[in-house]
């Protein structure tokens, strides 16, 4: 994938960081998009460049269309264009539907739904032929865990946008897919969960463990690379076999 350039949002930590690192290891130049932590994004850039890769950091609120346009401008200025877009930026708010604060719902949907739409729109306008878009959904869309109502709804919207965009880009040689992780050992997932809950969730897949960010990153790198060119308009549930 040498000569290709990727924009990865939410790349300063967790799954996004692993994705940025995996794409760089495969030869892509990477724009490490981040929302708030410049220091964490710089660590990702330093890690990539120390390994011989190319990367720059750029701040953007994915729900802000001007900021996202500037993110893509950074990729064009630094690397000549954009070939891969991975939207890993996301927010999670957990509560029973009857109890969820609507302000939390609005914040969640601003990032997960509007943000995904804004990134998808810019990708549709900018990607070069041979490009790939990978959105991050979640296996909770199908698993329907209690307290995940708002989050699952937002990720259901991500999957719908993925399917529509894949068809709208007909004839442009651009693939559009989503990866839906199951329980994955990230700071976002582990926050607020006790050891018993984590252990119970880890036992659910037949493989009897939590996923790792690297597990998800390898799936994304496949979809973003030459071996994934015949996969289009799909949701890959990377969850270790949870039904």
């Amino acid at each position: 994938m040498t000569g290709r350039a990727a924009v990865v949002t939410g790349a300063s930590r967790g799954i996004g960081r692993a994705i940025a690192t995996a794409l760089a290891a495969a030869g892509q130049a990477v724009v490490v998009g981040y929302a708030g932590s410049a220091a964490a994004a710089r660590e990702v850039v330093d890690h990539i460049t120390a390994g011989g890769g190319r990367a720059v950091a750029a701040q953007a609120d994915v729900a802000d269309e001007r900021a996202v346009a500037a993110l893509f401008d950074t990729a064009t200025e630094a690397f000549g264009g954009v070939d891969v877009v991975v939207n890993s930026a996301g927010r999670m708010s957990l509560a029973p539907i009857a109890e969820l604060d609507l302000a939390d719902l609005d914040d969640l949907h601003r990032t997960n739904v509007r943000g995904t739409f804004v990134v998808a729109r810019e990708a549709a306008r900018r990607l070069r032929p041979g490009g790939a878009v990978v959105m991050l959904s979640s296996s909770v869309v199908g698993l329907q865990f209690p307290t995940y109502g708002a989050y699952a709804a937002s990720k259901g919207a991500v999957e719908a946008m993925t399917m529509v965009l894949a068809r709208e880009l007909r004839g442009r040689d651009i693939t559009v897919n989503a990866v839906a992780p199951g329980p994955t050992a990230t700071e976002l997932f582990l926050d607020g969960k006790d050891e018993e809950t984590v252990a119970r969730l880890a036992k659910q897949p037949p493989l009897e463990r939590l996923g790792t960010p690297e597990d998800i990153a390898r799936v994304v790198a496949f979809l973003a690379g030459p071996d994934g060119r015949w996969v289009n308009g799909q949701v890959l549930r990377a969850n270790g076999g949870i039904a």
Side-chain angles (χ1 to χ4, degrees):
M1 292 194 279
T2 301
R4 287 164 67 84
V7 170
V8 183
T9 69
S12 64
R13 62 176 185 159
I15 290 173
R17 177 178 181 140
I19 290 168
T21 301
L23 293 179
Q28 296 207 37
V30 180
V31 175
V32 177
Y34 69 97
S37 179
R42 170 50 56 187
E43 287 180 8
V44 180
V45 170
D46 290 345
H47 176 76
I48 289 171
T49 55
R54 296 179 297 156
V56 296
Q59 185 174 24
D61 171 1
V62 291
D64 182 336
E65 64 272 26
R66 294 178 183 83
V68 171
L71 188 66
F72 279 70
D73 288 341
T74 297
T76 299
E77 292 162 6
F79 306 124
V82 184
D83 302 285
V84 171
V85 174
V86 181
N87 188 42
S88 181
R91 183 188 295 267
M92 182 185 293
S93 295
L94 302 181
I97 290 172
E99 299 172 14
L100 183 68
D101 188 307
L102 292 181
D104 291 338
L105 177 70
D106 290 343
D107 288 344
L108 185 152
H109 279 252
R110 184 179 186 277
T111 298
N112 294 6
V113 180
R114 178 187 169 93
T116 297
F117 192 96
V118 170
V119 172
R121 187 178 73 160
E122 203 65 31
R125 294 173 174 179
R126 304 263 200 140
L127 276 181
R128 297 186 284 204
V133 179
V134 184
M135 300 298 184
L136 267 291
S137 179
S138 172
S139 286
V140 298
V141 173
L143 296 173
Q144 301 158 0
F145 292 151
T147 75
Y148 279 81
Y151 183 71
S154 73
K155 292 303 186 177
V158 170
E159 294 187 8
M161 282 185 267
T162 298
M163 299 302 109
V164 171
L165 185 59
R167 286 148 183 82
E168 289 180 346
L169 297 184
R170 174 183 292 274
R172 288 184 51 187
D173 189 27
I174 295 171
T175 62
V176 186
N177 295 287
V179 174
T184 304
T186 65
E187 180 182 341
L188 182 66
F189 171 77
L190 296 173
D191 184 42
K193 294 182 175 68
D194 58 34
E195 290 185 11
E196 181 180 350
T197 299
V198 171
R200 176 174 52 80
L201 291 170
K203 284 290 186 181
Q204 288 191 326
L207 298 177
E208 295 191 339
R209 67 172 177 85
L210 294 177
T212 68
E214 291 72 25
D215 288 327
I216 310 306
R218 284 189 284 269
V219 177
V220 172
F222 164 73
L223 292 172
D227 293 337
R229 294 304 301 166
W230 196 234
V231 182
N232 189 30
Q234 304 297 318
V235 178
L236 273 66
R237 304 213 177 276
N239 59 26
I242 300 176

